[in-house]
Amino acid sequence: MTSTESLFRNRLSRRRFLHSTLALSSVAAAAACGSQDGPVGTVPSTTADSVPDTQLLAAGVDKRLMEIEDRYAVRLGVFAQSPVTGRVHTYRADERFAICSPFKVYAAAAILRLESEGSLRLDETFPIDPDDIVVNSPVTSEHQGRVLPLDRLCEAALTRSDNTAGNLMLHRIGGPEAVTAFARSVGDEVTRLDRWEPELNEAARGDERDTTTAAGLAHGFREVLLGSGLPDPQQRTLLGWMRATTTSDTRIRGGSAAGMDVGGQDGRRQPRDGERRRSGVVSGRAADGVGDPVGLDHG
């Protein structure tokens, strides 16, 4: 960690600026990647606070984010908010990004809501048909010809980003449109899911299918993880799966401050024509309850 990174992290911790952060990124191997909302060079960034030193701190955060974008040829979208003060900081928060694997959090939350309503059971079993296996399915590929319970599929999708498990979850709740409907039910008016794994990762420029924004996802995830989007027992189950994820250990969790209690979901678009994309979301707080920033997934 550089001295500048250490300074930002320590200053943010002392001011207890953030309790949760949601981040998305898009990575191009050959050139910086823009979006339908504007080129990489256009940076809409706001901080809802009038305290001078906080404004200076926010400017420093923006500068660091721009340095990351330049260094890695990435585009970052960030929404950060303190649940205590309501203070918000955004960076490209309304630009669209491919949602990739973070849709699995909404799918799991929809399943848990149905479970809380008595409409399904987490011990329901699903056959793992070899013909259903798609790319990046580390758990289900080892159980071909057998069955797995629904809670194990959710765990595989959230902790290992298993794509076949994600598709089976979608089948159980009614397809991709059910994820969009769930997003709307928790106040996320932006996120949409239109296709299945792995096609949903295509992310063609100008195509709004299977996309989200940092602001939209932040609103929905806050309601699901910290608000009233799920009953307490189901909320704890979802947080447990997210905290156990192994796919972001070197990115989101790897960039977080020591002592942070981090839960996240990371996704990566499969390379095509020399381009790669990653997206991830995280919410967390320090073990002592004091807010800290989390690492951004910048590929």
Side-chain angles (χ1 to χ4, degrees), residues 16-20 80-89 222:
R16 305 183 179 188
F17 184 54
L18 307 176
H19 273 236
S20 62
Q81 180 177 21
S82 166
V84 177
T85 66
R87 189 180 304 153
V88 173
H89 184 77
R222 177 179 168 83

